[in-house]
Amino acid sequence: MSEFDPTILHEAAIPPPEEFSSRARVSSITEYDALHRYALEKPEEFWGEQGQLIEWITPPEKTLEWKLPHAQWYVGGKLNVSYNCVDRHIAKHGNKPALLWEAEDGTAIEFTYCELRDLVCRFANAMKDLGVKKGDVVAIYMPMIPELPIAMLACARIGAVHSVVFGGFSAPALADRIHDAKCKLLITADGGYRRGRVIPLKESADEALKSCPTVKHMVVVKRTGEPVAWQQGRDLWWNELVDQFPETCEPEVLDAEHPLFILYTSGTTGKPKGVLHTSAGYLVQCTWSMQNVFDLRDDDIFWCTADIGWVTGHSYIVYGPLSNGASVVMYEGAPDHPKRDRFWRIADRYNVTIFYSSATAVRAFMAWGKQWLEGHDISKIRLLGTVGEPINPAAWKWYYEVIGRKQCPIVDTWWQTETGSILISPLPGATPTKPGSACLPLPGIAARVVNMQGEPVKPGETGYLVIEKPWPSMLRTIYGDDERFRRDYWSRIPGAYFTGDAAQCDKDGYFWVLGRVDDVIKVAGHRLSTMEIESALVSHPSVAEAAVVARPDEIKGEAIVAFVTLRAGQNPTPELKNHLSDHVSKIIGTIARPAEVRFADLLPKTRSGKIMRRLLRELAQKGGISGDTTTLEDIGAIERLAQQKGQEE
Ligand code: ATP
Ligand code: MG
């Protein structure tokens, strides 16, 4: 990629609040630097030491065995992940809440570590009785209810491999994933709640199983009580089942590299891949990052608002927090139900101290306005986090000022399903943060921005984000397709892991993730990142969210089309369109001026909330959509955009 002088990436650094640093685990940038240098020079020593964060049945003999692209971490070690996340906390914290669950209707249920252990054991015993063996793959298709983490931990206890499929997926999407992993068992619920409506999960599960002969049983949690079809012999109610089994279950002794789970990526770019993670390395790095990125303390109440159907929920609702014996808030429903203040109501009710959400959610909060905070005391929040997409500087500042009251550091965490845990992020007590930047690689992470030959590009130049050394929580393969694993991740840039993201490093070594390599736009010979142009748009007071794509242009090669969602109360006038194009020209330069601005009530997003520029590109180029839309959250969003264009013409 060629150079493009970034204008909006010149945000000044904000130092961590002194009060925060003074109590933090890593409390200065000097301390971070020393740690990072040590970890890069001696990765095996560093990660070997972090291996002590978990409890082993047999300690490992060797920290790393690396034959590109295959890594084995903590070789020879034996452990059980569910033991680490549950049993080991009981002596000290048996009565501490592990899960603080809130239903969409406001019902609250608390599970202590002791209670969690009993439930995990009962269900583990039940699965064994159903014939689930070590290494079998279990599909989990559930709403955000406590039985979901319980089922995952029960799998981990007996050495079964879970494959959680987000509860918002359709029957064919579920069937595809069950096929791909040849699952033996499906765990679901009669239904789930979303904005007060019942989502008939069992119906989709029934539909999916018509074409899934490998699945012998379906265990169904009764959540809604709505009538459901029932196949005698195959279907079993969770409650009736677990009642038959004792609340103790010896954890299986498992190899460090025993597969823990398969998780399909969210599908922004096309066909989802079954990312395989294994036990020890994944757990160690989730445990480490949970402690250090979130500066976790014993009395914290941690809330990650992601769905467990995504990797964020796996690593920072289930494995990371529970491995540290933390108290985790888990919420069943939508952020705007019954009203748009729901998250702040929850933060207040549970005295949440660490709030971790997505960039897309922050932009929604900003669009809705700060009046929704009124009457809710969120002053216990001491740290904010974001993930999923680049957070535009304007949204970052809104988060910092309105939610964080300028007192909470923000950790903008860059990572992927494939990386298993956070790789680039500030350490909140140490790193001065720059709005819109994920800041610095965590200790032990050899991140770099390079050209196609793998050579580092200069500060301020756009290149490919790669990781040059293996890390413990890295994916081990694509399930059933090791060739694709090698091709997609380890063959593009010699010797390095290819993330698929475009990025820049600034002169301070800060990383600016600019979006996906496939989304980069080329206008008159200049490569422009979607993130920069979108951030320029979002910096305008009337804009809440923006997505830009390119369409072919005879003169310039490509012309920019911007899709824009306005903040509450703003009028979508033709003058505003012009004005927004001018605004981008002013901030970045005429080269980045959108040729067309289109207003959208909602942007098309994946079910994990990421903007699908691929579909917008198709719309801008061809006027309609024929590409794969199975991972789309709301087909209406793109259909309305397509129609609206027709009306305007
Ligand atoms: P698919 O790979 O199927 O297209 P996906 O990449 O959306 O799906 P995830 O693994 O959930 O699935 O997302 C990881 C991607 O999200 C990263 O590669 C990056 O593009 C983006 N991302 C995540 N966190 C950040 C962040 N803090 N800043 C910028 N981008 C981020
Ligand atoms: Mg991806």
Side-chain angles (χ1 to χ4, degrees):
M1 289 188 201
S2 67
E3 187 169 4
F4 174 68
D5 181 29
T7 38
I8 63 144
L9 310 186
H10 288 165
E11 295 286 338
I14 300 173
E18 246 166 64
E19 144 78 9
F20 193 101
S21 294
S22 64
R23 298 185 59 191
R25 285 173 182 264
V26 181
S27 59
S28 72
I29 196 73
T30 333
E31 211 180 311
Y32 158 82
D33 279 336
L35 206 57
H36 188 43
R37 207 163 328 112
Y38 165 62
L40 281 187
E41 279 163 18
K42 302 194 162 145
E44 294 184 35
E45 279 88 335
F46 175 78
W47 288 119
E49 286 154 25
Q50 307 320 324
Q52 316 276 330
L53 293 174
I54 65 171
E55 213 173 298
W56 297 92
I57 301 167
T58 310
E61 287 150 16
K62 191 171 178 216
T63 304
L64 171 66
E65 188 78 54
W66 175 229
K67 283 199 196 81
L68 190 145
H70 295 120
Q72 289 181 58
W73 283 91
Y74 304 106
V75 184
K78 306 249 186 248
L79 78 162
N80 184 281
V81 170
S82 109
Y83 176 89
N84 270 279
C85 290
V86 185
D87 308 51
R88 74 159 158 156
H89 308 304
I90 299 233
K92 207 167 134 210
H93 287 315
N95 293 322
K96 179 177 176 175
L99 283 181
L100 297 155
W101 180 74
E102 174 154 317
E104 201 179 63
D105 70 5
T107 310
I109 306 179
E110 189 180 298
F111 299 82
T112 65
Y113 273 93
C114 277
E115 287 164 340
L116 186 62
R117 179 192 50 189
D118 296 351
L119 292 163
V120 167
C121 286
R122 278 184 194 273
F123 192 65
N125 285 324
M127 281 196 291
K128 284 209 264 192
D129 191 65
L130 291 176
V132 178
K133 303 223 160 40
K134 181 171 144 182
D136 286 348
V137 186
V138 173
I140 302 181
Y141 178 62
M142 285 169 109
M144 283 285 281
I145 55 177
E147 287 82 355
L148 167 53
I150 290 167
M152 292 161 75
L153 292 164
C155 286
R157 198 165 191 92
I158 64 173
V161 182
H162 58 70
S163 168
V164 179
V165 178
F166 173 59
F169 275 124
S170 61
L174 172 62
D176 274 355
R177 288 160 178 76
I178 291 177
H179 274 298
D180 190 67
K182 300 176 235 16
C183 301
K184 289 263 173 64
L185 174 72
L186 172 62
I187 307 166
T188 187
D190 55 354
Y193 290 104
R194 191 76 184 168
R195 298 195 175 89
R197 274 187 313 125
V198 169
I199 310 289
L201 282 178
K202 170 82 164 66
E203 209 176 287
S204 306
D206 284 334
E207 183 60 34
L209 287 200
K210 283 185 188 157
S211 64
C212 298
T214 55
V215 175
K216 301 293 175 235
H217 291 286
M218 165 149 66
V219 178
V220 187
V221 177
K222 190 170 264 175
R223 171 69 190 113
T224 65
E226 296 285 312
V228 288
W230 205 254
Q231 191 171 314
Q232 276 311 327
R234 183 194 70 181
D235 301 350
L236 302 144
W237 287 111
W238 172 292
N239 273 337
E240 291 174 9
L241 186 65
V242 293
D243 281 351
Q244 304 164 26
F245 295 95
E247 54 196 35
T248 52
C249 171
E250 204 47 42
E252 194 76 29
V253 179
L254 297 167
D255 198 77
E257 283 295 333
H258 185 75
L260 180 63
F261 65 85
I262 299 168
L263 182 59
Y264 292 83
T265 58
S266 75
T268 313
T269 45
K271 184 184 183 296
K273 303 168 266 214
V275 168
L276 181 79
H277 283 287
T278 59
S279 301
Y282 173 79
L283 188 66
V284 167
Q285 211 171 334
C286 284
T287 310
W288 188 92
S289 56
M290 185 68 216
Q291 279 185 10
N292 290 283
V293 173
F294 296 108
D295 188 52
L296 189 69
R297 293 201 294 255
D298 240 6
D299 56 354
D300 273 317
I301 305 290
F302 180 76
W303 184 20
C304 166
T305 69
D307 193 289
I308 293 179
W310 312 118
V311 74
T312 307
H314 279 57
S315 301
Y316 299 105
I317 295 177
V318 185
Y319 293 111
L322 298 182
S323 172
N324 280 294
S327 296
V328 196
V329 173
M330 175 178 172
Y331 168 53
E332 179 184 39
D336 54 354
H337 188 81
K339 285 191 294 195
R340 289 174 166 177
D341 65 349
R342 186 59 186 269
F343 274 15
W344 319 125
R345 190 177 284 279
I346 294 175
D348 184 353
R349 183 175 187 188
Y350 298 92
N351 292 315
V352 168
T353 59
I354 307 173
F355 179 77
Y356 187 33
S357 199
S358 62
T360 190
V362 173
R363 292 191 299 260
F365 304 148
M366 186 169 82
W368 296 343
K370 61 179 169 209
Q371 70 278 13
W372 295 104
L373 283 133
E374 277 160 30
H376 306 301
D377 176 9
I378 59 162
S379 63
K380 295 279 185 335
I381 297 180
R382 64 182 191 92
L383 176 62
L384 298 171
T386 158
V387 65
E389 290 178 294
I391 181 166
N392 316 103
W396 193 104
K397 287 177 194 159
W398 189 92
Y399 200 28
Y400 185 71
E401 281 159 23
V402 177
I403 309 301
R405 309 149 333 262
K406 296 190 182 173
Q407 286 162 22
C408 307
I410 295 181
V411 287
D412 175 353
T413 61
W414 178 90
W415 59 298
Q416 309 177 300
T417 308
E418 295 89 337
T419 70
S421 63
I422 298 166
L423 297 195
I424 305 180
S425 164
L427 292 180
T431 317
T433 48
K434 299 187 188 185
S437 166
C439 299
L440 301 167
L442 293 183
I445 302 306
R448 215 195 272 275
V449 181
V450 300
N451 62 21
M452 227 33 219
Q453 287 69 49
E455 300 150 353
V457 300
K458 292 201 202 80
E461 273 184 24
T462 300
Y464 304 98
L465 176 61
V466 298
I467 314 293
E468 294 182 328
K469 286 192 175 138
W471 64 100
S473 65
M474 65 191 259
L475 80 164
R476 298 302 192 264
T477 190
I478 296 295
Y479 188 78
D481 198 349
D482 198 54
E483 192 35 50
R484 186 172 180 197
F485 168 62
R486 190 183 286 274
R487 190 177 64 234
D488 284 5
Y489 301 105
W490 293 97
S491 321
R492 306 275 182 100
I493 309 273
Y497 169 83
F498 181 74
T499 64
D501 284 346
Q504 289 183 3
C505 250
D506 66 17
K507 59 180 186 348
D508 301 323
Y510 276 52
F511 284 72
W512 296 80
V513 177
L514 301 174
R516 289 152 205 284
V517 168
D518 305 339
D519 290 337
V520 170
I521 296 173
K522 195 167 185 184
V523 180
H526 292 272
R527 290 203 179 261
L528 305 179
S529 82
T530 52
M531 186 267 204
E532 285 170 280
I533 307 168
E534 288 160 7
S535 292
L537 286 161
V538 176
S539 75
H540 191 277
S542 60
V543 175
E545 191 160 55
V548 302
V549 296
R551 65 163 151 70
D553 183 273
E554 276 178 21
I555 300 158
K556 295 180 182 163
E558 287 189 327
I560 297 166
V561 182
F563 294 84
V564 169
T565 304
L566 296 177
R567 294 202 200 189
Q570 299 294 323
N571 277 332
T573 60
E575 294 73 44
L576 183 57
K577 289 186 176 181
N578 254 327
H579 183 67
L580 290 176
S581 288
D582 292 345
H583 182 72
V584 175
S585 302
K586 226 181 301 157
I587 292 186
I588 307 184
T590 46
I591 181 83
R593 185 188 167 87
E596 193 185 334
V597 172
R598 293 170 64 174
F599 293 122
D601 55 346
L602 286 172
L603 295 173
K605 292 187 181 172
T606 61
R607 288 161 205 270
S608 61
K610 293 178 200 231
I611 299 171
M612 274 170 109
R613 292 182 191 74
R614 165 166 75 77
L615 295 183
L616 290 172
R617 197 153 50 227
E618 217 185 307
L619 193 64
Q621 292 174 358
K622 301 184 198 142
I625 299 296
S626 58
D628 182 9
T629 54
T630 50
T631 58
L632 193 64
E633 157 84 37
D634 171 15
I635 185 78
I638 194 91
E639 282 172 356
R640 282 191 297 277
L641 268 172
Q643 279 166 8
Q644 167 199 342
K645 181 68 182 168
Q647 287 158 10
E648 279 176 18
E649 273 162 4

